[in-house]
């Protein structure tokens, strides 16, 4: 056996190293600069830490803080440093899981008393001491017996160990006094963490199971650069100001009520106007794109969901059955089976296809109480659902049309977006061949248009792969938006057919699509995207007319009537002082306030205060102002609704 191994670097060069060498040894052999900058490494697509021994023939990439894949390693290590601090101050704490997540990291602990904001400050102080000590992260491979001995006092870890396969490699990581059961990877030492912040605490069920004990979760974030951390914290502060639950109450858009039920939204009149405008715009759009509107029942015989496969693959997300005259009915979790029933109601010819059915259909899904969140995670919601039934030859063209439709929809709301191609999940209907074909059709359509996309491995629906459109809001967050799903399976399960040109029966291809997805989630996201300052066409109240004093109320009301006659949503406010009325209009984020006094009434003008321009007023003739507002509404212009540029923030 050779005492040397060969390591291939990204530039194709090969280094010979002593057997047992680690990624850190390779970095040091290249130069002291890389050895100092190295954070972790990548081998065969898997991120490893620098102390991991390498095999002969390994293709190795060294990661520094400039590499995107290095940040989750830092954040995972930050979670361990947090646990080190918690164990020092609360030694009785049992240790759950502590992963890196998109925005930072968290760690779960089982403790008798919930954590407080003061606790977080104390934990941060101890974390700073651990960082200053620059404790190395040491990786060890242990046997199952050794692991059970090491964690004999921690039932959460013992439960996890009991799930390991007999041949599974068990690793532990140690830094200073803290030892954890962990696969890694980690940065070389605690001193690499310089820019972090603990953010909040929350309850979390052990293993996400509401039947298990409640743990205490601490959320934090970490970055390599001080500027990046500052920018992220500013973004979080801005996100708090934009919280749709706070703004929804302030703007009187929606509410929830425990008597109605958790996760069920009550749309107030102003929220209903906002929703109506979105739906009206989308109806105009889809009718122009050749869709037909349909409606299906809210409650459906569960036999339909047996055929569709929902009871087999989606039952945990459905509400229980209702017994009606010996039959079992369920609130529908999806609209697609109803649309299939409409397709089956008549014999179809190839000349009829494609058939595009669309519905604003309310569906009901059982979401656990712990994940409910305002309008963003609910139990009853309305989907702008549509299904396209087409021939195999028409499939590519229909996907092209859907891409155009999505682009027009999102451009109207000012959303840039990214696309993910979600592939076959573990729990899925149909053959591998069908899935491969469906995934290939989606990929080839995107490739032909030169559209960039990423792969979400295993993220498809149980009946077919899909394109997920991720909306990027005004402060850079991503929201789930439209989806386009290609489905070969439901046509087969329902035995759908159309008469082809050869007078034989053929299976149609089925495309599922939503443009906004859940109306509740889309509106909740819009509230935060616009920070409640909706463009004029969407604003529930577009103009507020303010007479300077009570004596001008009648003339102001006449102007309100003129605005309303022109299809503009206008309100009169003559309460209190003019200053307090202006402040209220600003707080309610009304796009325009029209001030009227003796001079304006005599001249047939109004003094206009546009949202976001401070004290500035423009005097305009009434007809000119009405024409201006009407053009803005008709164009569905974004106006001043979006204007925050987080990248302009300087470094302290």
């Amino acid at each position: 056996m050779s005492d040397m191994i060969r390591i291939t670097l990204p530039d194709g060069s090969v280094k010979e190293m002593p057997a047992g060498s680690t990624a850190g040894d390779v970095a040091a052999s290249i130069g002291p600069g890389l050895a100092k900058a190295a954070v972790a490494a990548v081998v065969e697509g898997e991120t490893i830490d620098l102390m991991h021994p390498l095999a002969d023939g390994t293709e190795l990439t060294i990661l520094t803080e400039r590499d995107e894949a290095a940040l989750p390693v830092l954040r995972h290590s930050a979670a361990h440093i947090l646990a080190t601090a918690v164990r020092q101050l609360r030694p009785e704490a049992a240790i759950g899981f502590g992963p890196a997540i998109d925005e930072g990291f968290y760690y779960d602990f089982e403790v008798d008393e919930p954590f407080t904001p003061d606790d977080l400050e104390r934990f941060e102080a101890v974390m700073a001491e651990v960082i200053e000590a620059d404790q190395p992260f040491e990786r060890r491979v242990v046997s199952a017996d050794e692991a059970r001995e090491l964690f004999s006092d921690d039932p959460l870890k013992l439960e996890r160990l009991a799930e390991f396969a007999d041949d599974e490699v068990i690793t532990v990581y140690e830094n200073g006094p803290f030892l954890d059961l962990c696969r890694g990877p980690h940065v070389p030492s605690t001193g690499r963490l310089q820019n972090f912040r603990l953010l909040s605490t929350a309850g979390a069920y052990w293993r996400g199971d509401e039947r298990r004990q409640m743990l205490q979760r601490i959320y934090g974030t970490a970055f390599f650069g001080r500027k990046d951390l500052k920018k992220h914290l500013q973004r979080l502060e801005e996100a708090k100001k934009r919280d749709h639950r706070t703004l929804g109450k302030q703007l009187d858009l929606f509410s929830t009520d425990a008597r109605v039920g958790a996760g069920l939204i009550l749309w107030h009149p102003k929220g209903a106007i906002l929703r109506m405008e979105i739906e009206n715009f989308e109806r105009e759009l889809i009718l122009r794109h050749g869709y037909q509107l349909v409606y299906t029942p809210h409650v459906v015989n569960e036999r339909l969901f047996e055929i569709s496969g929902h009871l087999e693959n989606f039952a945990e997300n459905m509400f229980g059955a209702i017994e009606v005259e010996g039959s079992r009915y369920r609130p529908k979790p999806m609209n697609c089976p109803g649309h299939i029933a409409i397709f089956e109601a008549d014999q179809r010819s190839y000349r009829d296809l494609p058939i595009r059915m669309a519905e604003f259909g309310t569906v009901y899904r059982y979401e656990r109480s712990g994940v409910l969140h305002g309008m963003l995670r609910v139990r009853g919601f309305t989907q702008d659902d549509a299904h396209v039934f087409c021939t195999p030859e028409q499939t590519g063209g229909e996907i092209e049309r859907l891409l155009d439709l999505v682009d027009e929809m999102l451009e109207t709301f000012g959303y840039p977006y990214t696309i993910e191609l979600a592939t076959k999940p573990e729990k899925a209907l149909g053959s591998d061949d069908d899935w491969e074909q469906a995934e290939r059709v989606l990929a080839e359509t995107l490739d032909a248009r030169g559209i960039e996309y990423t792969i979400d491995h295993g993220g498809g629906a149980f009946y077919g792969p899909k394109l997920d459109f991720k909306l990027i809001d005004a402060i850079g967050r991503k929201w789930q938006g439209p989806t386009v799903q290609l489905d070969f399976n439901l046509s087969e399960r329902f035995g759908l057919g159309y008469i082809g040109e050869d007078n034989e029966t053929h299976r149609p291809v089925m495309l599922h699509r939503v443009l906004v997805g859940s109306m509740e989630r889309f509106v909740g996201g819009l509230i935060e995207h616009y920070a409640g300052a909706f463009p004029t066409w969407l604003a529930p109240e577009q103009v507020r007319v303010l007479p300077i004093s009570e004596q001008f109320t009648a003339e102001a009301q006449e102007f309100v009537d003129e605005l309303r006659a022109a299809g503009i949503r206008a309100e009169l406010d003559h309460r209190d002082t003019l200053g307090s009325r202006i402040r209220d209009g600003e707080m309610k984020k009304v796009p325009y306030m029209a001030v009227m006094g003796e001079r304006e009434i005599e001249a047939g003008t109004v003094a206009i205060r546009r949202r976001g321009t401070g004290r500035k007023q423009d005097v305009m003739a009434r007809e000119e102002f009405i024409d201006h507002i009407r053009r803005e509404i008709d164009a569905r212009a974004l106006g001043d609704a979006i204007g925050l540029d987080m990248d302009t923030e300087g470094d302290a």
Side-chain angles (χ1 to χ4, degrees), residues 134-266:
D134 197 23
Q135 301 165 355
F137 281 99
E138 298 178 351
R139 176 181 183 272
R140 297 203 324 263
V141 178
V142 298
S143 68
D145 288 340
E146 287 177 292
R148 284 190 287 269
E149 179 62 28
L150 288 170
F151 299 103
S152 59
D153 62 343
D154 197 328
L156 302 183
K157 293 299 181 186
L158 291 176
E159 179 179 328
R160 181 70 185 94
L161 281 167
E163 298 169 350
F164 282 24
D166 292 340
D167 59 348
E168 191 160 353
V169 175
I170 301 174
T171 56
V172 297
Y173 279 80
E174 189 170 12
N175 63 281
F178 182 66
L179 180 75
D180 198 9
L181 178 69
C182 179
R183 287 196 176 97
H186 287 285
V187 296
S189 66
T190 60
R192 299 302 290 267
L193 178 66
Q194 295 294 320
N195 304 288
F196 73 96
R197 180 71 59 84
L198 299 184
L199 301 172
S200 62
T201 63
Y205 291 110
W206 171 233
R207 312 300 290 271
D209 186 343
E210 61 191 18
R211 296 165 296 184
R212 305 296 300 275
Q213 69 268 40
M214 178 72 75
L215 307 184
Q216 289 293 302
R217 176 170 295 177
I218 298 177
Y219 287 99
T221 193
F223 290 87
F224 285 108
R226 182 162 57 98
K227 184 177 180 180
D228 291 331
L229 175 62
K230 180 182 178 183
K231 188 184 296 184
H232 181 73
L233 295 176
Q234 289 171 333
R235 199 182 303 276
L236 291 179
E237 283 302 311
E238 182 63 29
K240 285 182 182 178
K241 297 175 188 175
R242 293 168 176 258
D243 190 308
H244 74 283
R245 294 166 298 179
T246 302
L247 287 172
K249 184 175 183 180
Q250 176 183 319
L251 302 178
D252 194 23
L253 300 176
F254 75 95
S255 65
T256 58
D257 190 318
R259 296 169 301 175
V260 174
L264 301 173
I265 299 299
L266 298 168

Side-chain angles (χ1 to χ4, degrees), residues 29 62 93 100 149 159 218 379 423-424 450 480 484 497 617 634:
S29 73
I62 301 296
E149 179 62 28
E159 179 179 328
I218 298 177
R379 288 175 172 163
T423 61
K424 184 179 180 180
Q480 175 60 50
V484 174
Q617 291 190 161
D634 292 343

Side-chain angles (χ1 to χ4, degrees), residues 61-75:
T61 300
I62 301 296
L63 298 178
T64 71
E65 63 182 57
R66 296 179 181 178
D67 295 296
E68 184 178 346
L71 187 55
V73 181
L74 179 74
R75 289 172 168 173

Side-chain angles (χ1 to χ4, degrees), residues 548 551-552 596-603:
I548 287 178
Q551 70 186 92
F552 306 116
M596 298 180 64
E598 183 176 3
R599 181 170 49 191
E600 288 79 20
I601 290 169
E602 289 180 353

